[in-house]
Amino acid sequence: MWSTVLVLALGQAVDQPSGDGVGDPSDDSHSLTLLVALQDDSQPGETGEPLTARAQPSDDDKPKVKKKKKKNKKKKKKKKEKDWKVGYKDGLFVKSPDRNFKLEFTGWLQARYTLNRRVEDDDDPDKIRHGFSIRRAKLKAAGHVIGPWLNYSVTGAFDSELENVEFQSYWGRVDFTKGLSVRVGRFRPPLLFEERVSSKRQLAAERSLIARRFRQTRTGAIELRYKMKDVRLRGSFFQSTDDLFETEAWFVSGRVEWLLDGKWKRLKDFTSFPGQSGAMAVGAGLLYGYEDRDDTLDPDSQLLRWTADVTVEFGGASVFAGIIGNHLDVEGRPTLNQFGLVAQGAVFVSKGVELFTRYEWGDADGLAPDLSTITVGFNGYFNRHRVKFTADVGYGLNEVANFWSFPDATGWRTDDPGESGQVVVRAQFQLLF
C-alpha cells in the first residue's frame, strides 16, 4: 500500500513546474508526503528516529487480543484443577482435583475432674473420691476413595493414661443413591438416640446411666440405611451384644425417625443455639437377639429391647425424653422385664451459657433397687462444641446399686444397701480439632 503512495508522490513531484529554479512551497509538501510514506514503510526499531506518523490498529485486530487473554485464563484454570487441595475446615483435609479422593483428620479431647461422695460414716476413708482423668482422646480419619459414593472411617481411642490406642470403630459404606447406602465394619448398631448422638455433642458431661445400662455396644455388623426428606430408616445384623450371653448369638436391630419440623442437621446434638431454627422429631428402635445352645445345661435365650423418644429444639432451648424396655427370656427361668426413662432439658441464659437438667429412672425388675437420680449443670461455649466447658452435679434420690453404677465412665459408685444421697460433681473441658 505504501509503495503505491510512494509512486504517486514521485509522479506528482515530476509533473509540477520548476518555476524560477528556486524551491517552490509546493515542493516541500510533496517532500513531506514522501517522508511519511518512507517512515511508515519501515519496521519499528529499524530507524533511530521516532515515527512521525503511525497507523492505528484496525478493529479486526482488537478481538485477537481478547481471545489470547481468554486462552490464558483457560490455561490457568486447567493448571489449578491439576493441583491437590490441602486445607482446614473442622479438621485437616486433603482432596484430589477430580474430587474422587478425600481424606480428613479430626480428633477430640475430654479432660475431666470428678468428685464423688457417698453417704457413709465420716471415718470411712472411702467416703469421698476425687481426681482428674482423660475421659476421651480420639483421632479419626475419614473420607472417600474412587468416588464420593465409597466412604470410609477409622477411629482410634486412647486409654486414660494415653499409652495405648484401640481401634474403636472402622467401617466402609457404599452409597447406591442419595438416600440408600450399605455399611460394613465395626460400629454401634442403631437403637438408642442418646447413643446415636456423638459423645462430643452431649448435653451433660456424660450420657445417662440408663443409656449406659441398655445401650448397644460397638460390634462387627452390616447395616442398611435409607433416608427420605422426613423419614430415616436404619437396620443392622450382628452376632454379639453387651455381655448378656456367654457365647455368640445373632441379633437384628433397627431404628426409624420421623422429622416433624426443621432439618435433620439440627438433630446432631442435644443443644439448640440461640438464633438457630427449630426442629422436632420422634423416633423408635428395636433389637432382637436369639441364642440356640446345644448344651442342655445352658438354656436358650431371647432378648427383646425397644425404645421410643422425642426431641424438640426451639432455637435457644431444647427438650429430650426417651423410654426403654428390656425383656430377657431365659428358658426355664422367669422373664425379666426392665424399664428406663430419661428426660432432660436445656435453655440458654446468654449467648454462650446454657443451663440444663436431667432426670433418670430405672426398674431392674427385682435385680436391684429402682434408680432415681437428678443432674443439674451448665455448658460454657467458647466456640460451639469445638471449645466447651461443662460442669454438673448429680444427686441420688435412691440407692445407686451395682446394676446401675459405672464409676470409671460416669463417676457414679455403688451405694451401700439402703443408702441414698450420693453426690457426683463433674467438671470437663472439651477440645475438638
Side-chain angles (χ1 to χ4, degrees):
M1 181 180 67
W2 294 118
S3 301
T4 305
V5 174
L6 178 61
V7 172
L8 291 176
L10 290 174
Q12 290 177 358
V14 173
D15 292 338
Q16 293 295 330
S18 59
D20 56 1
V22 181
D24 192 82
S26 61
D27 293 337
D28 294 337
S29 63
H30 292 295
S31 299
L32 178 61
T33 302
L34 179 61
L35 178 61
V36 171
L38 289 174
Q39 287 179 338
D40 281 335
D41 200 34
S42 64
Q43 295 297 323
E46 292 181 352
T47 62
E49 299 296 329
L51 301 180
T52 56
R54 180 69 180 265
Q56 298 296 323
S58 64
D59 294 337
D60 295 336
D61 296 332
K62 293 180 180 179
K64 293 180 181 179
V65 177
K66 291 182 179 180
K67 288 180 181 178
K68 288 181 180 178
K69 290 182 179 179
K70 288 181 179 179
K71 288 181 180 179
N72 291 336
K73 288 182 180 179
K74 289 181 180 180
K75 287 181 180 178
K76 289 181 180 179
K77 188 175 181 181
K78 288 181 179 180
K79 188 176 180 181
K80 288 181 180 179
E81 290 177 351
K82 293 180 181 179
D83 296 336
W84 284 66
K85 189 174 181 181
V86 179
Y88 184 89
K89 184 179 180 182
D90 297 332
L92 180 66
F93 68 86
V94 180
K95 287 182 181 180
S96 64
D98 57 6
R99 299 183 180 182
N100 287 331
F101 174 84
K102 181 181 179 182
L103 173 60
E104 184 175 12
F105 294 99
T106 57
W108 59 97
L109 176 71
Q110 292 178 343
R112 181 183 301 176
Y113 172 79
T114 305
L115 183 148
N116 178 286
R117 178 189 179 278
R118 295 189 303 183
V119 178
E120 296 177 353
D121 295 335
D122 294 336
D123 297 334
D124 191 338
D126 201 36
K127 180 176 182 178
I128 297 177
R129 287 186 183 180
H130 66 96
F132 291 91
S133 65
I134 302 299
R135 178 64 184 98
R136 292 179 179 88
K138 298 183 180 183
L139 293 175
K140 179 180 178 181
H144 59 256
V145 293
I146 302 178
W149 55 272
L150 184 57
N151 299 269
Y152 65 91
S153 175
V154 179
T155 302
F158 292 86
D159 59 16
S160 59
E161 302 298 328
L162 300 181
E163 294 178 350
N164 302 307
V165 62
E166 174 192 4
F167 287 105
Q168 193 176 64
S169 67
Y170 39 86
W171 51 261
R173 190 185 74 228
V174 179
D175 297 334
F176 296 102
T177 64
K178 188 176 181 180
L180 180 64
S181 63
V182 172
R183 181 168 64 155
V184 180
R186 186 177 191 270
F187 50 88
R188 196 186 305 277
L191 184 63
L192 304 181
F193 182 76
E194 195 173 344
E195 289 290 335
R196 191 179 184 281
V197 176
S198 172
S199 59
K200 59 189 175 184
R201 297 189 180 96
Q202 292 291 317
L203 195 60
E206 192 63 47
R207 294 183 176 99
S208 67
L209 296 174
I210 297 298
R212 187 77 185 183
R213 168 48 59 189
F214 298 119
R215 69 176 183 165
Q216 170 52 51
T217 58
R218 295 178 180 86
T219 184
I222 181 171
E223 179 186 66
L224 176 67
R225 293 181 172 187
Y226 186 65
K227 180 180 178 180
M228 294 176 283
K229 182 180 179 181
D230 299 325
V231 179
R232 291 193 299 200
L233 299 168
R234 296 172 63 194
S236 66
F237 173 81
F238 52 101
Q239 290 186 313
S240 62
T241 185
D242 281 328
D243 290 320
L244 297 173
F245 304 115
E246 296 178 0
T247 60
E248 294 280 326
W250 61 266
F251 296 85
V252 292
S253 71
R255 180 173 174 84
V256 58
E257 295 172 340
W258 294 272
L259 184 66
L260 304 179
D261 186 37
K263 299 180 180 179
W264 287 116
K265 64 180 181 180
R266 292 286 173 252
L267 304 178
K268 291 183 177 181
D269 58 13
F270 288 111
T271 298
S272 182
F273 291 98
Q276 284 187 339
S277 58
M280 180 178 181
V282 294
L286 182 69
L287 180 148
Y288 176 77
Y290 178 76
E291 183 176 15
D292 185 8
R293 297 175 183 252
D294 295 331
D295 192 345
T296 56
L297 297 178
D298 296 324
D300 297 345
S301 303
Q302 295 185 73
L303 172 68
L304 177 64
R305 186 177 296 171
W306 55 270
T307 182
D309 50 72
V310 58
T311 306
V312 184
E313 296 193 359
F314 301 98
S318 61
V319 174
F320 167 79
I323 186 171
I324 301 169
N326 188 71
H327 311 279
L328 180 60
D329 183 11
V330 180
E331 187 177 0
R333 301 176 188 175
T335 300
L336 289 175
N337 297 303
Q338 301 164 339
F339 300 93
L341 173 68
V342 179
Q344 64 185 29
V347 61
F348 275 83
V349 294
S350 67
K351 185 178 180 181
V353 178
E354 178 188 41
L355 303 181
F356 64 84
T357 184
R358 172 199 286 165
Y359 176 73
E360 304 177 52
W361 173 83
D363 178 5
D365 196 14
L367 294 184
D370 291 352
L371 175 73
S372 182
T373 65
I374 187 170
T375 303
V376 295
F378 76 92
N379 287 310
Y381 296 96
F382 300 95
N383 187 0
R384 297 292 176 97
H385 292 291
R386 298 182 188 91
V387 184
K388 179 175 72 171
F389 176 79
T390 303
D392 58 34
V393 180
Y395 181 78
L397 301 173
N398 288 351
E399 171 192 341
V400 178
N402 183 61
F403 184 82
W404 304 109
S405 65
F406 301 91
D408 293 338
T410 67
W412 290 90
R413 293 190 290 163
T414 302
D415 282 323
D416 290 337
E419 298 290 350
S420 61
Q422 182 178 166
V423 176
V424 178
V425 179
R426 300 176 297 199
Q428 178 174 280
F429 174 76
Q430 174 175 286
L431 175 64
L432 309 183
F433 53 91

